[in-house]
Amino acid sequence: MSSRLSVSLRIAIVQLNPQIGQVSSNISRAWSLINRIKESSNGKSPDLVVFPEFALTGYNFHSRDHILPYATAPDVGQSFKMAQEVSRLFNCYTVIGYPERFENGTKPLLYNSAAVTSPTGELVFNYRKSFLYYTDDDWGCKENPKGFQTFPLHLKQRATDKNGNLQDITLKTSIGICMDLSPYKFTAPFHDYEFATYNVDQGTELIICPMAWLHSSSVTKDEGKLSQKKLQAIRDATEAQGLPIQGSQGQYQFDFDNSKKTVRTSRDVSSSYCDLEQPDMSNVNYWILRFLPFLALRQRESWLWRLEQTRRSYMGATSTKPWKFEGQNAIVVFANRCGIEDASTVFAGSSGVIKFNGSRSDRECEIDSTNKSVELLGNLGKGLEGVLMRDVEFKVAR
Ligand code: GLN
């Protein structure tokens, strides 16, 4: 018989607006944020600190030559050093997105990766992005040959059993870097929910997402005539807020208040690039939608008969159970960057922590933040650098 343990973790997310070619100022702002965590955590420091995708380098690299000076092996370079120092400072795990260079004969391979450092500052895991975005293709990024992966995160004295005894716990953990949450190359069927399905099937308990997710005001590849209008709108939006074209830097938002939950709103909210201290709920809702297999849904009861006997679940259902995740918990950490690159790529910020509580409510039929089986523990704004810190509690079976 398996028993249930209650896990408590303090998680901090660092939301940054890094610009290419300005690594040292990106790093110094990151340190201002980290130092503020140190001053404000009342002796209880975070167990996990998560930085965005390409957190210190900037994201929009356009060619192999452009990115090469910034790409390093996982355990050297500025990003690793930052993660290592943060881990040692707080005695915590740190996850940081960075461009990886892997020596392979004459021509090194390049990956979009996330390094994980342990409380003693050792590199304990390195994940490479599996699903690539157009921008990753521009500089010759390779896909993770291993695909999605889980790894064990060992935490000292963070679980409590039913008698109230504290014990060590190893959490089944995975990393999804931004596009990993989307349909493969935007061409796979939307309803495959590849990343979420993988995690439901693996029983992942903690999902860490370093991201450089775009805001809807961004100009993307296929927008043709619309793009002039959108470029102008970006200039207008920044000007109206007295900001430079790269967006806000150094005007920090700190949210360490556990009671400050994100207000649930349905997905049809307009999303212009203003109110930078508020999360962009259309993005938050979209991320939740991409985790549909983790959501309680009344509709699932009627899907069961359609499924053939397979090892994989489909939209959260298996051939024997309408909802595989029922009764479980999972935490998802979204560490998204903010700001603007190339006067055209606007990032959505809105970093946050959610908890899927696995609770069955036969009434749930929404696939957004109004579904009560997802708890929105807090989100930063769409356009300010800052830190979100939350104490999360969840159950695991052991
Ligand atoms: N799907 C993501 C987006 O549209 C991909 C961006 C990324 O991988 N950085 O923003």
Side-chain angles (χ1 to χ4, degrees):
M1 258 273 299
S2 73
S3 60
R4 307 254 286 171
L5 300 177
S6 176
V7 180
S8 307
L9 285 186
R10 178 166 280 196
I11 298 175
I13 301 173
V14 178
Q15 179 166 295
L16 278 172
N17 171 10
Q19 295 290 317
I20 290 176
Q22 299 173 20
V23 175
S24 59
S25 61
N26 299 335
I27 291 175
S28 79
R29 291 194 315 288
W31 273 112
S32 308
L33 298 174
I34 293 293
N35 288 332
R36 183 65 174 267
I37 300 177
K38 187 156 176 61
E39 290 153 21
S40 319
S41 45
N42 294 332
K44 189 183 170 218
S45 53
D47 301 302
L48 172 67
V49 175
V50 187
F51 285 86
E53 179 179 16
F54 281 16
L56 304 180
T57 60
Y59 181 67
N60 269 12
F61 290 100
H62 299 299
S63 68
R64 188 176 167 85
D65 286 343
H66 194 193
I67 202 170
L68 267 173
Y70 301 91
T72 64
D75 58 350
V76 295
Q78 309 264 40
S79 305
F80 175 72
K81 192 164 163 257
M82 178 96 216
Q84 183 173 57
E85 288 175 7
V86 170
S87 275
R88 287 179 178 159
L89 178 66
F90 294 128
N91 192 31
C92 72
Y93 285 94
T94 306
V95 179
I96 193 164
Y98 74 100
E100 181 188 350
R101 175 191 170 113
F102 178 73
E103 296 308 331
N104 177 48
T106 46
K107 198 178 170 203
L109 301 177
L110 297 173
Y111 294 100
N112 180 330
S113 301
V116 183
T117 55
S118 70
T120 53
E122 316 293 327
L123 178 76
V124 287
F125 191 66
N126 183 57
Y127 173 75
R128 296 167 175 162
K129 192 176 188 176
S130 300
F131 290 6
L132 305 182
Y133 187 58
Y134 310 123
T135 312
D136 303 316
D137 292 329
D138 288 349
W139 47 266
C141 184
K142 293 273 182 252
E143 289 178 0
N144 185 350
K146 298 189 172 122
F148 301 141
Q149 291 172 275
T150 62
F151 64 101
L153 205 74
H154 308 292
L155 293 145
K156 289 215 159 59
Q157 305 287 292
R158 287 292 177 273
T160 318
D161 66 16
K162 60 177 188 320
N163 303 318
N165 300 318
L166 261 185
Q167 49 182 268
D168 295 354
I169 184 86
T170 299
L171 295 177
K172 190 159 199 177
T173 308
S174 76
I175 296 180
I177 305 181
C178 209
M179 186 71 187
D180 282 333
L181 275 58
S182 296
Y184 182 62
K185 290 188 190 290
F186 293 128
T187 57
F190 193 90
H191 293 104
D192 284 358
Y193 297 102
E194 298 99 312
F195 183 66
T197 297
Y198 168 83
N199 283 296
V200 162
D201 289 348
Q202 290 289 319
T204 313
E205 294 155 330
L206 175 63
I207 302 172
I208 301 168
C209 303
M211 311 202 290
W213 196 286
L214 276 52
H215 185 265
S216 60
S217 63
S218 261
V219 180
T220 52
K221 273 218 149 123
D222 36 4
E223 275 169 335
K225 275 201 228 127
L226 236 186
S227 60
Q228 283 313 317
K229 240 176 117 182
K230 288 186 91 176
L231 285 168
Q232 188 58 46
I234 296 168
R235 288 193 290 270
D236 292 346
T238 47
E239 207 179 291
Q241 292 164 90
L243 293 171
I245 195 63
Q246 69 269 27
S248 173
Q249 288 178 314
Q251 188 197 329
Y252 303 132
Q253 177 179 32
F254 295 100
D255 181 348
F256 299 162
D257 181 356
N258 280 316
S259 66
K260 223 179 130 220
K261 306 273 193 295
T262 305
V263 178
R264 298 172 187 274
T265 48
S266 70
R267 74 200 110 105
D268 303 312
V269 283
S270 82
S271 51
S272 40
Y273 198 65
C274 57
D275 303 324
L276 299 189
E277 73 293 345
Q278 296 298 328
D280 184 284
M281 287 309 290
S282 59
N283 266 289
V284 172
N285 281 319
Y286 188 80
W287 297 335
I288 291 170
L289 170 62
R290 289 303 300 167
F291 282 90
L292 176 140
F294 286 89
L295 287 175
L297 278 183
R298 187 177 64 194
Q299 299 89 316
R300 251 192 217 104
E301 296 292 339
S302 60
W303 299 343
L304 189 60
W305 61 274
R306 296 170 188 272
L307 292 171
E308 291 170 16
Q309 205 86 41
T310 92
R311 273 191 303 123
R312 296 188 74 204
S313 58
Y314 182 65
M315 296 205 281
T318 69
S319 57
T320 53
K321 235 181 142 196
W323 190 25
K324 189 169 185 176
F325 184 71
E326 185 179 0
Q328 299 175 40
N329 285 177
I331 299 291
V332 188
V333 182
F334 299 101
N336 194 24
R337 64 159 291 168
C338 59
I340 302 168
E341 287 188 318
D342 298 336
S344 58
T345 305
V346 183
F347 298 95
S350 313
S351 296
V353 184
I354 58 175
K355 172 177 171 177
F356 290 108
N357 61 30
S359 74
R360 173 76 160 274
S361 158
D362 293 337
R363 268 168 301 168
E364 298 302 340
C365 55
E366 301 298 336
I367 48 176
D368 58 32
S369 63
T370 63
N371 186 306
K372 300 290 194 319
S373 70
V374 59
E375 299 170 23
L376 286 78
L377 304 182
N379 287 87
L380 289 172
K382 63 180 80 66
L384 301 181
E385 295 182 310
V387 178
L388 180 83
M389 189 152 66
R390 286 293 181 269
D391 295 321
V392 302
E393 300 238 343
F394 57 106
K395 300 256 189 294
V396 296
R398 287 293 181 277

